[in-house]
Amino acid sequence: MKQFFSSLLLPFVVLSLLLTSLIVGCAKQASPEGGPYDMTPPRLIKSDPSNGVTHFSGKKIKLTFNENVKVEKSNEKVIFAPPQNTNPRILSGTGKSITIIFEDSLHSNTTYTIDFTDAIVDLNEGNPLEGFVFAFSTGDKIDSMEIRGQVLDARGLYPIPNVFVGVHKEGADSLFRTQAFLRTGRTMSDGSFVITHLAPGKYHLFALNDLDHSFSYSQRSEGFAFLSEAVEAVAPSPQEEIPLPFAADSAKKDSLNAPPKSADFSDFSGQKADSILGRNEKPDHLLLYSIDLPQKQFLQKSARQDSTRLTLTFSQPLEQLPLVRLLDAPVEKKGLLLPQIDEKRKEVTYWITDSNYYRRDTLQLLTEYATLDSLEHPTLQTDTLKLIYRAQKKGQTQKKSRDKGNTPSLSQSSSEQGVSGSSSQGKETRKEGAGAKENAGNNTGENPASTATQEDDEEKTPHLTPQLAKSTSPFALSPRDTLAITFAQPPIHVDTAGVHLYSVTDSVETPQPVQLRLHPEQALELQILADLQFDTKYRLQLDSAAIRSCYGVPNRAASLDIALESADKFGAISLSFDSLATRGATAYVEILSEDNRVLITRPVLPDSTITLDMLPAGSYYGRLWIDQNNNGKWDAGHYPTSQPEPSYLYPKAMTIQPKFTNEIHWNATEVPLSKQRPSGLKLSEETSQRGDQMNQKRQRTNLNEEYIKRMRERYGDKWNPSNADRRILGLPTRAEEKAARQAEEEAKKEKRARQQK
């Protein structure tokens, strides 16, 4: 019996091994890359009724695709026009069909559209079917007029993707705020849009970042754009005319189902692929998008993190420091609170300089700052605060310090870092200052001069270590830069006799005039005021105790080296302007970095020339804007009374070469707004996120291009992908490739025959 089972088992084992080897062999023959990324969107192959049907009287529409699909965020992305009281239900599972069921009755002699935008995606890779619109009519015709255009950011002139563009027929002011759009479209990656299936006539045109999915301008935080004048709907171009009716069982791609050609726009930088606008065409209608959000200021948070400091955090950047005073302190007592504002200008830390107040557990504070009232008129807001700080007992403080690994106190941190002896050593200044702020006062409520600092065994007296502040200016180490010294506690007393500045040439020190000035908004800094020159080394010497903090702590003797760059590394821009119709308003020119930071702002006059010197070599960008209300800042649009203030970009990078003045004549209106943004000017992070879907497409495209390159390097002419992969990769089919080779051979034969004759 055992031999019998053994005889049966042996063939089974052999068969299993053979099957395994075959499977492994097949696996080895497959692409180690796993194949290309599928970028093909689903395709409509059948609809019941057909797309473009007339005299529709049913309650249901069924769409069938060539692969399994689903509808994403139907409540947000799918737009029914004209809007209905109850949106139709959309039924989609994991199959190839989508069913739309109408809950409301349909109006007679009306064209209806269902704009799926990019809601329909395949189940494999999530490829969206972009721009798919299903249309039908309850009458005997389909409305076929359209409006095309582009939406740009009013200030940055970059395209605004993925926002709705809609129309209203009449009473636009009220309808835009209260009712859904009559017809809608959605902007593509280059900001282009098309609104289809319009009846002949004029329409009021709007763009909207619809945050609450109401398809109306219902809240001020929604970005919007509008045209002041009504626009005429026009017939589609002959080459893009919509063929109607659509054959229900046709497998061919219908123009109603196809997205606008701008869907594959390569990036937001101005280097556009072909779009619905065309390469050299201006948009039919240009909408300038902005957010009319009132900058209502309010106090978000107040805190007293230790005995010597209190912090106020505001909702908006502060144009000027708020008025802050302690309620029980004399009004005439100045310098009681020294401010330190952060880079975003939203948080202000105040250092309490008087021991009569910082030793108290409870402080009552009054703050006054500019804001807007309920009617959005400028006003002053006054808040009364009660801040409490309870000092820990000494034993608790020591135990906490041990638990944290003996974190050094202010003076320990300063002494370990030592004196900054060069401008490069000043790079750690901000870290030192931040750590000092956390440790100043030592959270005891006692005198910071005696308790916030502990020296080593050789020196028991507390001292501050001065350091050069790290410059955040693009003009660092040039005479245009403002140099400063930073401390761990606010410096307040300066003995000018103990401050010395020398120019250093071949170890020879020549005295130079110098002053140290308290920074009005940075309590930890002293500004260095001196006539500094290019390509010169300086040494700033501070005698011991030449500077004292607000708590009486003196500085250590310090020698700080400063080396300014050579003038050979800097250049200049000379800008001249054509006349602009400013109508009594002031025009401003801004010099921008590639990451959109404003480096320089200057007012300009028509037909004038300005020169900006001491600019480090590199590429810069220019923006010109008109301050129509003369308030000194650019203002967004306000619906329905005003458009955003005019803004223009110089269409190319402004290149600065060392020792050279780049003379530029700028005609702000010569190039259309839609083509002014230069390719090197980056977008903000928030704006870039709008194009995430397109970014994913571009990434997949790049990966597929790399895949093709690797396959051809690896297999050469032997690489023969399937027609399915060829379709994904954008390559000709095998038959097309064969036909191309044959045609090439025939051409060669004909050429040889002509040569022989």
Side-chain angles (χ1 to χ4, degrees):
M1 182 64 70
K2 187 176 181 181
Q3 292 179 349
F4 175 75
F5 281 108
S6 300
S7 62
L8 292 178
L9 183 61
L10 182 60
F12 178 78
V13 172
V14 172
L15 181 61
S16 300
L17 291 173
L18 288 173
L19 289 174
T20 303
S21 63
L22 286 173
I23 293 171
V24 172
C26 293
K28 287 182 179 180
Q29 293 175 8
S31 169
E33 308 289 337
Y37 281 93
D38 181 15
M39 298 176 58
T40 306
R43 177 169 53 87
L44 180 69
I45 61 172
K46 185 178 180 181
S47 65
D48 184 19
S50 62
N51 198 349
V53 69
T54 58
H55 300 288
F56 178 79
S57 60
K59 286 289 187 177
K60 183 172 71 174
I61 294 173
K62 185 176 182 181
L63 308 174
T64 304
F65 298 85
N66 65 327
E67 58 182 316
N68 293 334
V69 295
K70 65 177 180 179
V71 180
E72 293 184 335
K73 301 179 180 178
S74 60
N75 292 334
E76 300 177 14
K77 293 185 175 184
V78 182
I79 310 165
F80 297 92
Q84 296 182 289
N85 294 328
T86 303
N87 277 342
R89 286 186 291 137
I90 299 178
L91 306 179
S92 67
T94 57
K96 298 181 179 181
S97 298
I98 295 172
T99 302
I100 302 98
I101 300 176
F102 295 95
E103 304 286 354
D104 286 348
S105 58
L106 302 176
H107 300 292
S108 59
N109 299 315
T110 302
T111 296
Y112 285 86
T113 57
I114 308 173
D115 188 351
F116 287 90
T117 62
D118 58 355
I120 300 175
V121 301
D122 62 37
L123 291 181
N124 293 327
E125 295 287 348
N127 295 305
L129 175 59
E130 295 183 317
F132 174 48
V133 178
F134 188 93
F136 63 91
S137 174
T138 56
D140 56 3
K141 66 176 182 177
I142 289 277
D143 295 328
S144 59
M145 299 299 201
E146 67 178 28
I147 296 175
R148 292 175 177 251
Q150 190 178 25
V151 181
L152 297 180
D153 180 81
R155 185 162 172 76
L157 301 184
Y158 51 81
I160 302 295
N162 202 33
V163 295
F164 291 110
V165 185
V167 296
H168 284 297
K169 190 67 174 173
E170 297 176 352
D173 185 15
S174 61
L175 293 180
F176 185 38
R177 297 182 184 274
T178 59
Q179 295 187 24
F181 290 131
L182 180 64
R183 288 275 189 266
T184 63
R186 199 166 190 149
T187 57
M188 309 306 288
S189 57
D190 63 349
S192 60
F193 67 87
V194 56
I195 303 174
T196 62
H197 300 95
L198 294 170
K202 289 188 175 182
Y203 296 85
H204 294 275
L205 189 60
F206 308 88
L208 179 66
N209 184 23
D210 191 23
L211 298 178
D212 60 356
H213 315 300
S214 66
F215 302 107
S216 62
Y217 183 40
S218 56
Q219 49 185 310
R220 293 283 295 273
S221 57
E222 294 178 328
F224 74 98
F226 68 100
L227 291 185
S228 302
E229 303 294 332
V231 300
E232 188 85 30
V234 299
S237 303
Q239 67 272 18
E240 297 174 353
E241 206 166 297
I242 301 173
L244 296 173
F246 172 70
D249 57 351
S250 175
K252 296 182 180 180
K253 202 170 186 178
D254 189 276
S255 61
L256 277 172
N257 310 323
K261 295 179 181 179
S262 59
D264 291 326
F265 173 57
S266 59
D267 58 44
F268 293 110
S269 63
Q271 305 300 317
K272 300 183 178 68
D274 289 330
S275 71
I276 67 170
L277 303 177
R279 283 189 180 271
N280 300 307
E281 301 175 17
K282 292 193 297 184
D284 292 347
H285 304 287
L286 182 63
L287 286 81
L288 297 176
Y289 173 95
S290 63
I291 301 178
D292 182 25
L293 185 62
Q295 301 297 304
K296 189 173 182 178
Q297 187 72 271
F298 60 89
L299 182 63
Q300 284 186 324
K301 184 173 66 175
S302 60
R304 189 180 177 193
Q305 60 266 53
D306 59 42
S307 62
T308 59
R309 294 173 298 157
L310 52 93
T311 300
L312 305 180
T313 305
F314 292 86
S315 60
Q316 304 292 338
L318 293 161
E319 294 184 5
Q320 59 184 17
L321 293 177
L323 174 64
V324 179
R325 67 181 181 91
L326 298 176
L327 285 178
D328 56 349
V331 177
E332 65 275 7
K333 191 164 185 174
K334 297 181 179 180
L336 179 58
L337 298 173
L338 300 179
Q340 178 88 11
I341 194 167
D342 70 339
E343 292 183 358
K344 295 182 178 180
R345 300 190 64 84
K346 287 186 176 183
E347 183 177 283
V348 189
T349 297
Y350 291 91
W351 294 74
I352 309 170
T353 63
D354 195 324
S355 61
N356 292 322
Y357 298 95
Y358 66 66
R359 286 177 175 175
R360 298 180 181 180
D361 291 345
T362 303
L363 293 175
Q364 287 189 318
L365 191 74
L366 183 143
T367 177
E368 190 175 78
Y369 51 91
T371 186
L372 301 174
D373 60 17
S374 58
L375 299 177
E376 299 180 8
H377 297 152
T379 186
L380 290 177
Q381 175 68 36
T382 301
D383 293 331
T384 302
L385 310 173
K386 185 178 182 180
L387 303 179
I388 300 174
Y389 173 76
R390 303 197 185 279
Q392 294 179 326
K393 295 180 180 180
K394 187 174 290 185
Q396 293 176 332
T397 304
Q398 293 175 349
K399 183 178 183 300
K400 186 176 181 181
S401 180
R402 288 195 300 270
D403 294 340
K404 290 186 176 183
N406 294 320
T407 303
S409 64
L410 165 65
S411 64
Q412 291 174 321
S413 176
S414 300
S415 63
E416 290 172 3
Q417 293 181 21
V419 175
S420 177
S422 67
S423 59
S424 62
Q425 289 175 321
K427 293 181 179 180
E428 297 297 322
T429 298
R430 300 296 182 188
K431 294 182 180 180
E432 185 269 348
K437 289 193 293 183
E438 291 299 325
N439 292 290
N442 206 30
N443 299 338
T444 64
E446 302 176 8
N447 185 355
S450 61
T451 63
T453 59
Q454 296 178 359
E455 294 299 320
D456 54 29
D457 295 335
E458 297 179 359
E459 187 179 3
K460 301 297 183 182
T461 306
H463 287 82
L464 299 176
T465 301
Q467 290 187 331
L468 285 175
K470 182 182 179 181
S471 177
T472 58
S473 168
F475 317 110
L477 302 179
S478 77
R480 184 189 287 271
D481 192 16
T482 302
L483 300 176
I485 316 170
T486 187
F487 301 84
Q489 293 180 356
I492 195 170
H493 303 287
V494 180
D495 181 4
T496 56
V499 181
H500 317 278
L501 180 67
Y502 303 95
S503 59
V504 183
T505 306
D506 297 331
S507 300
V508 178
E509 297 183 345
T510 305
Q512 301 290 331
V514 65
Q515 291 183 341
L516 298 181
R517 181 178 67 182
L518 299 176
H519 198 296
E521 295 184 341
Q522 301 295 336
L524 299 177
E525 291 185 3
L526 287 176
Q527 294 178 316
I528 302 173
L529 304 181
D531 185 16
L532 304 180
Q533 303 297 319
F534 279 116
D535 200 17
T536 305
K537 295 180 179 179
Y538 297 90
R539 180 166 292 136
L540 180 66
Q541 290 188 347
L542 303 175
D543 295 342
S544 179
I547 299 168
R548 291 183 179 272
S549 76
C550 59
Y551 307 118
V553 180
N555 70 287
R556 297 178 185 273
S559 179
L560 306 177
D561 290 340
I562 306 169
L564 266 61
E565 295 280 8
S566 170
D568 294 345
K569 296 183 178 181
F570 296 81
I573 301 176
S574 179
L575 295 172
S576 59
F577 303 88
D578 280 352
S579 296
L580 286 172
T582 60
R583 300 177 183 175
T586 302
Y588 289 88
V589 63
E590 295 175 337
I591 303 301
L592 310 175
S593 64
E594 67 174 8
D595 57 354
N596 279 283
R597 286 189 300 144
V598 179
L599 307 178
I600 303 173
T601 303
R602 293 284 188 276
V604 296
L605 298 174
D607 299 311
S608 65
T609 300
I610 62 172
T611 300
L612 306 172
D613 59 0
M614 291 187 284
L615 294 172
S619 296
Y620 299 86
Y621 301 89
R623 177 163 58 210
L624 184 71
W625 57 277
I626 312 300
D627 188 13
Q628 293 179 327
N629 58 3
N630 289 309
N631 66 347
K633 63 180 182 179
W634 182 85
D635 291 295
H638 183 79
Y639 184 79
T641 57
S642 61
Q643 294 283 350
E645 290 183 326
S647 181
Y648 309 91
L649 289 174
Y650 189 70
K652 297 184 291 185
M654 300 177 175
T655 304
I656 302 297
Q657 299 178 0
K659 303 188 297 182
F660 183 78
T661 299
N662 189 359
E663 297 182 354
I664 295 175
H665 182 73
W666 188 352
N667 183 346
T669 58
E670 182 179 14
V671 178
L673 286 178
S674 60
K675 299 185 180 298
Q676 286 190 6
R677 186 174 180 88
S679 59
L681 191 57
K682 297 179 180 178
L683 294 173
S684 65
E685 182 178 353
E686 179 182 353
T687 305
S688 300
Q689 291 174 352
R690 288 182 173 274
D692 278 348
Q693 190 176 81
M694 299 309 301
N695 291 335
Q696 292 175 7
K697 277 190 173 182
R698 289 192 290 273
Q699 185 180 15
R700 289 183 182 179
T701 301
N702 295 335
L703 290 173
N704 282 343
E705 290 175 353
E706 294 174 3
Y707 171 80
I708 294 173
K709 183 180 179 181
R710 288 194 301 270
M711 292 298 99
R712 285 175 173 169
E713 289 176 351
R714 187 174 301 170
Y715 303 108
D717 295 337
K718 295 181 180 180
W719 183 54
N720 189 18
S722 66
N723 283 333
D725 285 355
R726 289 169 177 268
R727 186 180 67 255
I728 294 172
L729 297 169
L731 301 175
T733 64
R734 291 173 175 176
E736 291 170 341
E737 195 173 75
K738 183 178 179 180
R741 286 197 301 267
Q742 291 175 349
E744 187 178 355
E745 290 295 329
E746 291 295 331
K748 289 180 180 178
K749 288 180 181 180
E750 292 179 3
K751 185 178 180 180
R752 286 195 297 268
R754 287 194 302 268
Q755 290 175 347
Q756 291 175 356
K757 290 180 180 181

